[in-house]
Amino acid sequence: MREVPFTELVEVNPRASVARRGSVPFIGMEDVSEDGRLLRIRERPIAELAPGQPSFRNHDVLFAKITPCMENGKGAYVTGMDGEVGLGSTEFHVLRARPGTEPRFVYHWTRSCRLRQAAEAMMTGSAGQRRVSKEFFTRFRIPLLEQAEQRRIAEILDTIDEQIRAAERLVGKLEDVYASIVRDQLARISDCVSSTVGALFDMQPGITLGPHRKPRKNAHGYLRVANVQRGFIDLSDVASLEASLDDRQRWALQTGDLLVVEGHASPDEIGRCAMVDRDSEGLLYQNHLFRLRTRSIIPEFGLLWLNSDAVRSYWRKMCATSSGLYTINGRMLSQMPFPVPTLEQQLHIVRIHADLTAKIKQERSRLAKLRLLKQGLMDDLLTGRVRVPVGAGDSE
C-alpha cells in the first residue's frame, strides 16, 4: 500500500479573509476537551483578537500544537458553526480535508496514539513551550486509502466513540448517585452520640525522614503523602528508606489502618484519608501522615466519615495558612469530634458504599475496555492493517 505525507490528505492552516469589524465565531483552547470534543463556539469581537489567528470552517479539524495540550489530546472536529469562517487560538493547527478525503477520517487520525507520539518526538522549542510545527504534517506519512474506505472507518470509530461517551455518562451518573446516597447516610448519623478521634483510634505519626534514612542495607518501602489519595492508596511509585527491625515493628502498617494526610497546599485535600489493604500491608509511612488504628469503629466506616463533607468542612474551618500550606497537628486530629453510630448503622452504610462502588468499578472496567478496543481498532483500521469491506453503494 502506498504511503503518502499527511499533507496529501489535508491542507494545514488554510488562509481565509475575515472582515475586521463586528464579531466572529471563536474557539479557544478552553473550548475543546482532551477527549476530542468541541465544547462550544463563542462569538468574539474581532477587535479583541490578535492578527495571525488561524481560520476554520465547518468540518475542519483543530489540533492543539503546544505542550502539554498536544500530549493530553486536545483537539476537535468543527461542526455546527453559524457563519462561513471562524477564528481559533494561535495554539491550534487547522487541518482541512482535501477533495477526495473524508474529514472525519482526518479527525480520527489526529486522535491516534501513532500520530501523537510521532508529533511529540518532533516537537521543537524550549521546555514547557514546545510545539508541533506545520512541517510535521509533511514529514508524517500514512497509508493512502480510498475515500469510501475512509468513510467506513470513520463511521466505525464514530460508533465506538458514541459507546464510550454513553459509558462515561453512566459512570458519571453512578458517581453522582453514590455521592448523594453516601452523603445522605452520613448526614443521618451526624447527630449520634459523639466521641473523638483520639478516644476511638490509636493514633501515631510516621517516620521522620533525613539523611540517615537513605536506604542502605535494610531498605524498606514506605508511603508518602502522594501515595495517600482520598479513598485509596496509590502504589504506582513507592519509595524506600533505611529501617531497622525496631522501625518496622513500630511503623509497619496493618490491613484496616487509616492514613490521614497532615498537610497540603489545597484546603480541599487536607485530612484526606485512605485505608490500608493487603497490597499495602507491611509498608511503613512518613511523618506527614497520621496512622489511625481503630479500637471500636469499623475501619471502612471510619474511612467514609473521615472523607465526608462534614469532616472536609471541619478542616477548612480549623486550618489556616500563612505559608501556602494547610496543616493538621496531632492535637487537632485527636480532638476532632467523631460520631459513634451503632454497629448495625455502621454496617448498613458500609454495605451501601460497597454495593455502589462495586457497580461503579464494573462500569469503569467496561469503559476501560471500550477505550482499549478503540485504540487497537484505530491502529488496525487507520493504517490499513485490517481492511474494511466497501460495498458497491459506498463507492465514489
Side-chain angles (χ1 to χ4, degrees):
M1 189 183 308
R2 185 164 71 96
E3 286 197 346
V4 298
F6 202 69
T7 47
E8 190 160 319
L9 277 70
V10 300
E11 184 180 0
V12 183
N13 299 331
R15 293 184 177 276
S17 60
V18 179
R20 298 311 300 177
R21 62 182 183 276
S23 296
V24 65
F26 178 81
I27 299 176
M29 198 64 67
E30 68 276 17
D31 300 320
V32 302
S33 71
E34 293 180 358
D35 62 353
R37 286 180 296 156
L38 178 58
L39 303 176
R40 58 186 170 267
I41 302 176
R42 296 176 287 161
E43 286 287 324
R44 290 279 299 274
I46 196 72
E48 293 180 2
L49 301 177
Q53 291 180 289
S55 61
F56 59 82
R57 298 175 180 169
N58 278 322
H59 311 301
D60 284 350
V61 176
L62 304 181
F63 183 89
K65 62 185 177 182
I66 188 171
T67 186
C69 297
M70 194 287 292
E71 294 100 317
N72 291 342
K74 282 215 173 219
Y77 178 77
V78 180
T79 185
M81 178 180 65
D82 293 330
E84 188 171 334
V85 180
L87 294 177
S89 164
T90 55
E91 298 300 350
F92 284 128
H93 284 306
V94 176
L95 308 179
R96 179 169 300 159
R98 296 185 185 278
T101 298
E102 188 64 29
R104 292 290 297 177
F105 181 77
V106 172
Y107 165 76
H108 285 295
W109 253 115
T110 65
R111 303 295 307 156
S112 71
C113 290
R114 183 180 291 262
L115 183 143
R116 288 185 176 269
Q117 287 171 357
E120 185 176 0
M122 297 185 193
M123 291 179 105
T124 59
S126 59
Q129 293 292 312
R130 299 170 65 239
R131 290 175 172 83
V132 178
S133 69
K134 178 179 178 180
E135 287 68 34
F136 161 74
F137 298 99
T138 300
R139 298 167 64 185
F140 183 70
R141 302 177 70 85
I142 65 170
L144 183 61
L145 303 175
E146 295 294 330
Q147 186 174 11
E149 188 170 358
Q150 294 177 17
R151 183 176 298 118
R152 289 289 296 120
I153 289 170
E155 289 169 355
I156 292 168
L157 296 178
D158 283 345
T159 299
I160 295 177
D161 276 344
E162 291 170 5
Q163 294 173 350
I164 288 173
R165 297 209 172 117
E168 289 172 339
R169 288 192 294 272
L170 178 56
V171 169
K173 288 179 181 178
L174 287 171
E175 289 175 339
D176 289 343
V177 168
Y178 163 82
S180 176
I181 291 177
V182 172
R183 187 183 298 116
D184 178 66
Q185 292 293 320
L186 292 173
R188 291 183 184 184
I189 54 92
S190 61
D191 294 331
C192 289
V193 175
S194 183
S195 182
T196 63
V197 168
L200 298 172
F201 296 87
D202 174 64
M203 189 176 76
Q204 179 175 272
I207 298 175
T208 300
L209 304 181
H212 66 294
R213 290 297 181 185
K214 183 177 180 180
R216 296 181 180 87
K217 294 182 179 179
N218 300 299
H220 198 90
Y222 76 99
L223 298 179
R224 300 161 291 143
V225 169
N227 299 114
V228 179
Q229 297 300 310
R230 193 173 296 282
F232 70 96
I233 292 177
D234 181 359
L235 296 176
S236 61
D237 182 17
V238 176
S240 295
L241 52 69
E242 183 72 8
S244 67
L245 178 59
D246 287 344
D247 293 332
R248 295 196 293 274
Q249 290 175 338
R250 180 178 179 185
W251 282 293
L253 292 164
Q254 298 177 11
T255 297
D257 284 346
L258 303 178
L259 291 172
V260 177
V261 170
E262 175 197 57
H264 201 278
S266 169
D268 291 326
E269 296 300 325
I270 52 174
R272 71 185 182 212
C273 181
M275 187 173 73
V276 175
D277 58 15
R278 291 181 181 179
D279 292 334
S280 47
E281 186 176 32
L283 292 172
L284 311 183
Y285 59 102
Q286 74 163 113
N287 61 316
H288 293 303
L289 299 169
F290 291 102
R291 186 221 67 200
L292 303 182
R293 186 166 290 164
T294 181
R295 296 191 178 105
S296 57
I297 294 293
I298 297 173
E300 291 83 358
F301 172 77
L303 174 70
L304 290 173
W305 181 255
L306 289 168
N307 283 326
S308 69
D309 290 344
V311 171
R312 293 170 76 171
S313 177
Y314 174 84
W315 288 129
R316 283 194 293 269
K317 292 176 183 176
M318 291 292 293
C319 298
T321 180
S322 59
S323 64
L325 182 67
Y326 297 83
T327 58
I328 296 169
N329 60 45
R331 180 184 56 80
M332 293 165 62
L333 179 58
S334 179
Q335 294 178 358
M336 188 186 81
F338 199 105
V340 188
T342 66
L343 179 63
E344 290 74 17
Q345 288 175 312
Q346 293 180 50
L347 287 171
H348 176 67
I349 293 172
V350 168
R351 287 193 196 103
I352 289 175
H353 163 78
D355 290 345
L356 288 171
T357 52
K359 179 64 174 175
I360 291 171
K361 184 178 180 180
Q362 176 184 343
E363 293 303 325
R364 282 177 177 163
S365 176
R366 189 172 77 87
L367 175 58
K369 288 176 182 176
L370 281 171
R371 287 171 173 161
L372 190 62
L373 171 64
K374 182 190 173 185
Q375 286 300 325
L377 272 176
M378 288 177 80
D379 203 44
D380 285 339
L381 298 180
L382 295 174
T383 62
R385 186 182 303 121
V386 174
R387 304 303 298 271
V388 177
V390 177
D394 296 318
S395 59
E396 299 305 315

